[in-house]
């Protein structure tokens, strides 16, 4: 199966006065597993349906393998799509559901038999060929929907929140199977989801959309560690924010004043692009860290405050949740509570609600984002 690229060039789409997609530029590499991530109404499913041919852009180009297919009807695009509700024919057996696309394409009977058998083996459903969708579990129906799409050997595979109807444990299992299948086939795959964990555990790269605009494109690690703006930071994982003001701008360093009068210096490399473009003294910004990047100490170690390789705040425990491998604390720190995840180790101190603590924030873990 040939691996192909998908290019969206300056694509915009409006429904009346409502602009749903705004100047979308994306390049999806051949054989890549690419995720479109965003909240409801962000435009991710609209873009997926546009690639499938069910929506038509008002401007821009859509290229597959270097050819503009914007005017090609859906049934001639050689693109397969798995829908959220699977859209299986309830009156047809598994075999007939999988064979349906080949029958419509008038594939020779011998080839049809061979291809359906091969794809049923690929998804582990050979023993279920004579069953009907109503006799299958949700995970099995998902495999049928995948098999029906893969059997036509599309150039591109589109997945529209295909795991959203499954329970949590089955979602984890199915996303692992989905990724394994994609790797074996090598097919360029575009996966729409609002679930950050699904995107981060499956995608080679992903794009975060918000209000029809691509906010950032990159690997899961890049988006998690170096978000371009506050929206990406808070949508891809959990982010703590402390309000601050730019006090001084040096060659490679930014000096920030926090609301309690404390100051901290951070490298300019920690400043998001959305802030750099408007950077000035007096600018209001957010000092941001992930919950696992902070640590707690009892206040009896207060003498360590001046020695910490970063920022040390005082606070009190507002709440705690034991989560097995870690305990999640919510700690007061000025006007903004901080969420702190501490790995549970035998012998480490734990803190009761109301306890006074010190919060250590290494400057190397700080990101400066917009307010």
């Amino acid at each position: 199966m040939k691996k192909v690229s998908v290019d969206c060039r300056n694509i915009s789409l409006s429904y009346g006065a409502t602009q749903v997609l705004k100047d979308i530029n994306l390049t999806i590499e051949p054989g890549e597993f690419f995720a479109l991530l965003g909240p409801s109404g962000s435009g991710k499913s609209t873009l997926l349906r546009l690639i499938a041919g069910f929506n038509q852009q008002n401007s821009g180009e859509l290229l597959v393998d270097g050819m503009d297919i914007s005017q090609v009807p859906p049934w001639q695009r050689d693109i397969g799509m798995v829908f959220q509700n699977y859209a299986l024919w309830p009156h047809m057996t598994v075999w007939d559901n999988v064979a349906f696309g080949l029958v419509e394409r008038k594939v020779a009977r011998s080839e049809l038999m061979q291809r359906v058998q091969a794809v049923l083996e690929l998804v582990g459903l050979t023993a279920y060929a004579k069953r009907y969708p109503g006799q299958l579990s949700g995970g099995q129906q998902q495999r049928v929907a995948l098999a029906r799409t893969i059997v036509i050997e599309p150039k591109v595979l589109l997945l529209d929140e295909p795991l959203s109807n499954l329970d949590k444990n089955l979602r984890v299992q199915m996303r692992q199977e989905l990724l394994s299948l994609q790797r074996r086939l090598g097919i360029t795959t575009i996966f729409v989801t609002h679930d950050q964990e699904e995107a981060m555990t499956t995608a080679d790269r992903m794009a975060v959309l918000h209000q029809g605009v691509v906010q950032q494109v990159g690997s899961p690690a890049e988006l998690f560690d170096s978000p371009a703006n506050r929206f990406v930071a808070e949508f891809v994982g959990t982010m703590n924010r402390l309000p601050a003001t730019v006090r001084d701008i040096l060659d490679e360093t930014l000096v920030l004043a926090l609301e309690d009068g404390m100051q901290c210096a951070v490298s300019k490399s920690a400043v998001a692009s959305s802030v750099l473009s408007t950077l000035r003294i007096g600018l209001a910004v957010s000092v941001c860290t992930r919950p696992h990047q902070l640590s707690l100490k009892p206040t009896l170690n207060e003498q360590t405050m001046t020695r910490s390789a970063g920022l040390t705040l005082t606070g009190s425990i507002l709440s705690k949740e034991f989560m097995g491998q870690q305990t999640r604390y919510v700690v007061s720190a000025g006007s903004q509570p901080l969420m702190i995840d501490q790995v549970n180790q035998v012998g480490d101190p734990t803190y009761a609600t109301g306890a006074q603590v010190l919060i250590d924030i290494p400057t190397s873990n700080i990101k400066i984002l917009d307010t």
Side-chain angles (χ1 to χ4, degrees):
M1 185 179 295
K2 182 183 180 182
K3 298 180 181 181
V4 301
S5 61
V6 177
D7 288 287
C8 300
R9 297 182 180 175
N10 306 113
I11 286 180
S12 294
L13 171 63
S14 298
Y15 295 133
T18 304
Q19 196 168 8
V20 182
L21 299 174
K22 305 172 186 177
D23 199 27
I24 301 292
N25 284 281
L26 288 174
T27 296
I28 297 151
E29 301 295 339
E32 189 171 32
F33 198 118
F34 193 93
L36 298 174
L37 180 66
S40 297
S42 62
K44 59 189 186 299
S45 289
T46 300
L47 179 57
L48 195 77
R49 293 177 65 84
L50 186 149
I51 295 170
F54 303 135
N55 293 328
Q56 181 65 47
Q57 68 266 30
N58 301 117
S59 61
E61 297 176 308
L62 173 64
L63 282 68
V64 173
D65 200 22
M67 297 180 60
D68 190 352
I69 63 167
S70 300
Q71 304 305 316
V72 177
W75 57 90
Q76 293 180 0
R77 291 192 175 194
D78 204 9
I79 291 175
M81 185 165 180
V82 176
F83 297 92
Q84 185 175 350
N85 62 358
Y86 313 143
L88 301 176
W89 298 108
H91 63 287
M92 290 184 178
T93 64
V94 168
W95 177 279
D96 290 333
N97 264 284
V98 174
F100 182 80
L102 299 179
V103 172
E104 290 294 301
R105 288 165 173 76
K106 296 181 171 55
V107 173
R109 180 68 177 171
S110 59
E111 182 183 350
L112 181 150
M113 297 283 287
Q114 182 180 2
R115 285 167 65 174
V116 172
Q117 181 64 31
V119 80
L120 286 176
E121 289 178 4
L122 187 64
V123 299
L125 288 177
T126 304
Y128 299 86
K130 294 183 179 179
R131 294 194 186 184
Y132 292 88
Q135 298 172 311
L136 304 176
S137 68
Q140 290 165 342
Q141 290 183 44
Q142 169 68 274
R143 291 189 185 96
V144 176
L146 276 170
R148 183 185 58 186
T149 304
I150 292 166
V151 77
I152 64 172
E153 298 178 354
K155 292 179 180 177
V156 180
L157 176 63
L158 307 180
L159 305 171
D160 189 6
E161 305 224 30
L163 310 181
S164 61
N165 293 330
L166 306 177
D167 63 50
K168 183 178 180 179
N169 289 337
L170 191 52
R171 281 203 307 272
V172 172
Q173 176 188 337
M174 285 304 301
R175 77 187 184 210
Q176 292 170 345
E177 292 185 12
L178 189 61
L179 182 59
S180 175
L181 181 63
Q182 190 269 344
R183 292 293 190 245
R184 277 182 282 165
L185 294 173
I187 187 171
T188 304
T189 300
I190 307 174
F191 178 40
V192 158
T193 181
H194 65 274
D195 187 311
Q196 300 94 322
E197 184 176 313
E198 280 183 6
M200 295 180 73
T201 54
T202 56
D204 298 307
R205 290 187 305 137
M206 56 190 187
V208 177
L209 277 74
H210 180 49
Q211 296 180 344
V213 176
V214 174
Q215 303 293 314
Q216 188 174 359
V217 180
S219 69
E222 288 169 344
L223 270 62
F224 187 82
D225 292 335
S226 302
N229 54 42
R230 178 181 161 187
F231 178 83
V232 175
E234 294 181 341
F235 196 80
V236 182
T238 301
M239 185 67 86
N240 292 307
R241 293 190 304 112
L242 291 171
T245 304
V246 177
R247 184 182 180 92
D248 200 2
I249 303 172
L250 306 176
D251 288 342
E252 299 298 330
T253 306
L254 211 59
V255 180
L256 303 171
L258 278 68
E259 61 181 1
D260 60 0
M262 293 189 67
Q263 293 187 26
C264 71
V266 298
S267 169
K268 279 187 180 178
S269 62
V271 182
S273 55
S274 59
V275 175
L276 276 175
S277 60
T278 58
L279 190 60
R280 67 183 188 280
I281 293 175
L283 179 68
V285 296
S286 296
V287 174
C288 299
T289 54
R290 299 290 185 189
H292 70 280
Q293 296 172 330
L294 286 69
S295 60
L296 294 174
K297 295 179 182 177
T299 52
L300 52 86
N301 288 338
E302 199 157 354
Q303 65 270 21
T304 65
M305 289 180 66
T306 57
R307 301 182 211 145
S308 174
L311 180 63
T312 301
L313 308 175
T314 58
S316 61
I317 304 295
L318 297 176
S319 65
K320 60 184 291 187
E321 291 180 295
F322 179 76
M323 305 171 72
Q325 293 181 344
Q326 65 189 31
T327 298
R328 172 161 289 180
Y329 294 95
V330 178
V331 186
S332 67
S335 63
Q336 295 289 330
L338 298 177
M339 191 175 293
I340 303 174
D341 291 341
Q342 298 284 86
V343 175
N344 291 322
Q345 302 281 5
V346 176
D348 282 357
T350 58
Y351 304 95
T353 301
Q356 299 298 303
V357 291
L358 300 179
I359 307 160
D360 272 356
I361 308 175
T363 51
S364 59
N365 290 334
I366 289 175
K367 299 296 177 185
I368 306 304
L369 302 173
D370 47 296
T371 57

